[in-house]
Amino acid sequence: MPYTIQGSFHKMAASAWLPGLPTQPESRRGILPRLFCFSYAGGTSELFRQWQAALADICLICPVELPGRGSRMDEPFAPTLAQAAQEAACAILPYTDAPYYLFGHSLGSVLALETARALQEGGATLPLGLIVSGRYPPHLPNRRKNLHDMPDEALIDEMRRLGGTPEELLSERALLDMMLPIVRADFRLLETHRALATPCLHLPLHVFCGREDTDSPLELLAQWQEVTDTPCSIDFFDGGHFYINESRDQLLRRLRRLIRKSGQSGRI
């Protein structure tokens, strides 16, 4: 398997990717599926922990934490997106014997896609569905200039345009000095990754996007179909690139419906 745990990547390293992994409720009959969640550039696992209360009866939220932020602040950043996906697959592998899903927003969509490919290529049981959010298909040409090598002020302006970062944080230099290296490292992962439409995934794929997200127009979103041999659906939500904050309740209701439907049919 391409992601077999070996060398320096041992169980302790694997567990770092899934901090605070929830356990199955002892009182519940049956097994709750896990929803492994990959964040946007500069984000941490904390975003997804806020979802757990609303979905606690139907799934276990399992945030994926990249090195260099959150609980892994003292670790060096991942050198490439491909390596990050391989290591994330290593961490998720022990949990693939039970129902699970992958969800990613923006950068996280590409990481979730490549993690699913790593799992598939290694012969693991595939997720019941891959949910990609706020991102056009990564095998298409880049629609904007690279952000990871922009001067600080230009990068801050781009963060402001995308939304999702409170203005008080963007105006506080001490906080920015901590955040900008993380954002740059994440954009570098995305912008230096050579994404392909293949290998084709053999699983359902769902595309989520904000209606006002100008970076991901409909004609591009439809081309996510090219990365899977299973029908691909598209859902729009109120808001822009960070609709996941603006329309969180709407998003969580949609996730609930998807998970409930797959529980009834065995697939999304």
Side-chain angles (χ1 to χ4, degrees):
M1 289 186 180
Y3 53 88
T4 299
I5 297 175
Q6 58 183 351
S8 62
F9 193 68
H10 45 68
K11 289 184 178 180
M12 184 176 296
S15 66
W17 286 83
L18 301 171
L21 195 69
T23 57
Q24 291 287 342
E26 294 182 3
S27 61
R28 182 178 174 87
R29 300 177 64 182
I31 297 176
L32 288 175
R34 295 183 184 275
L35 179 62
F36 293 98
C37 300
F38 296 77
S39 186
Y40 53 85
T44 72
S45 60
E46 184 56 34
L47 165 70
F48 301 110
R49 296 188 200 288
Q50 299 170 18
W51 294 7
Q52 184 60 70
L55 298 175
D57 63 312
I58 201 166
C59 72
L60 299 176
I61 300 296
C62 303
V64 178
E65 189 87 282
L66 285 170
R69 82 288 316 281
S71 61
R72 308 182 69 185
M73 184 65 76
D74 294 334
E75 298 182 42
F77 298 122
T80 66
L81 189 143
Q83 182 171 326
Q86 292 283 335
E87 295 192 4
C90 270
I92 291 170
L93 179 60
Y95 305 98
T96 59
D97 59 349
Y100 72 104
Y101 307 85
L102 302 180
F103 173 95
H105 182 70
S106 197
L107 162 68
S109 290
V110 186
L111 270 169
L113 167 68
E114 299 299 358
T115 299
R117 283 176 167 163
L119 290 165
Q120 177 172 286
E121 290 174 6
T125 300
L126 294 179
L128 293 179
L130 169 62
I131 305 158
V132 293
S133 168
R135 180 70 185 178
Y136 60 88
H139 60 279
L140 301 183
N142 190 11
R143 301 186 68 248
R144 64 189 181 194
K145 59 185 176 181
N146 286 343
L147 306 182
H148 74 275
D149 53 4
M150 281 184 169
D152 282 358
E153 293 309 313
L155 180 56
I156 293 167
D157 287 344
E158 183 65 17
M159 293 167 64
R160 183 176 284 112
R161 182 188 73 82
L162 289 170
T165 306
E167 185 60 36
E168 55 268 28
L169 193 156
L170 293 174
S171 303
E172 178 55 57
R173 192 70 225 184
L175 294 175
L176 277 174
D177 287 343
M178 292 172 42
M179 185 176 184
L180 285 178
I182 300 172
V183 173
R184 286 188 187 283
D186 286 353
F187 278 132
R188 178 180 51 78
L189 289 182
L190 187 61
E191 293 163 356
T192 60
H193 178 62
R194 184 171 177 266
L196 302 173
T198 56
C200 187
L201 289 171
H202 311 310
L203 51 74
L205 191 147
H206 298 269
V207 182
F208 290 1
C209 192
R211 290 187 178 88
E212 288 79 49
D213 189 345
T214 56
D215 288 341
S216 301
L218 175 60
E219 63 270 21
L220 298 184
L221 296 181
Q223 293 181 66
W224 272 106
Q225 179 65 73
E226 297 171 8
V227 307
T228 179
D229 58 10
T230 301
C232 172
S233 70
I234 302 176
D235 284 275
F236 285 97
F237 300 83
D238 296 333
H241 186 65
F242 278 94
Y243 79 90
I244 58 171
N245 297 328
E246 300 167 72
S247 297
R248 188 178 78 165
D249 290 346
Q250 183 186 5
L251 167 61
L252 296 181
R253 286 195 298 270
R254 180 59 178 140
L255 285 172
R256 174 178 289 277
R257 290 197 300 271
L258 286 178
I259 294 169
R260 179 180 292 120
K261 182 178 179 181
S262 68
Q264 295 169 351
S265 65
R267 278 289 182 190
I268 289 180

